Amino acid sequence: MTLRELVSNVDAERFAANGLFQQLRATPPEYGYNRKIAVKRKKKGISVTNVHVGSLGDILTFPIDVEEGLELTEEQLLDAILNEMTSHGVDEAEQADFWNEMTNLQKAKILR
């Protein structure tokens, strides 16, 4: 399953107050890469990697690879991914600025 599919599968009302979730729903998927969003167990919770490289449209196309034996509902999985994407507490204005820069194709090419 890709992040785009996960965003489409969950109950949108549960995430209605999350600005990043709303932005993910509105962003068209782009080309993507051969990267995967890796979700693994760690001592004090869950580790999510590969959600900070590429434009938002690219990240939507990444398949999600959940560690074998790690059982999460789709909502829990999306919560973990959104938490990692927001850098654990960066405020919404900073998030919006960051994603606006990343979804600007001219600037995204420079950042990559």
Side-chain angles (χ1 to χ4, degrees), residues 86-98:
T86 58
S87 298
H88 309 287
V90 175
D91 69 36
E92 287 196 31
E94 291 171 322
Q95 291 174 36
D97 291 343
F98 174 79

Side-chain angles (χ1 to χ4, degrees), residues 97-109:
D97 291 343
F98 174 79
W99 289 117
N100 285 338
E101 294 294 315
M102 286 304 291
T103 57
N104 179 329
L105 292 179
Q106 291 297 326
K107 291 183 179 180
K109 288 179 183 176

Side-chain angles (χ1 to χ4, degrees), residues 26-83:
T27 301
E30 293 177 8
Y31 299 107
Y33 295 97
N34 292 331
R35 295 182 188 205
K36 294 182 179 182
I37 297 173
V39 181
K40 298 179 181 182
R41 185 174 322 155
K42 65 179 188 177
K43 290 182 183 180
K44 294 185 179 182
I46 298 169
S47 169
V48 178
T49 57
N50 294 333
V51 293
H52 297 292
V53 178
S55 70
L56 194 55
D58 288 340
I59 295 168
L60 280 168
T61 65
F62 294 175
I64 302 169
D65 185 20
V66 178
E67 179 180 22
E68 190 173 324
L70 181 59
E71 295 188 25
L72 299 169
T73 66
E74 288 183 337
E75 286 80 14
Q76 290 171 324
L77 180 59
L78 185 57
D79 274 337
I81 292 170
L82 291 175
N83 188 39

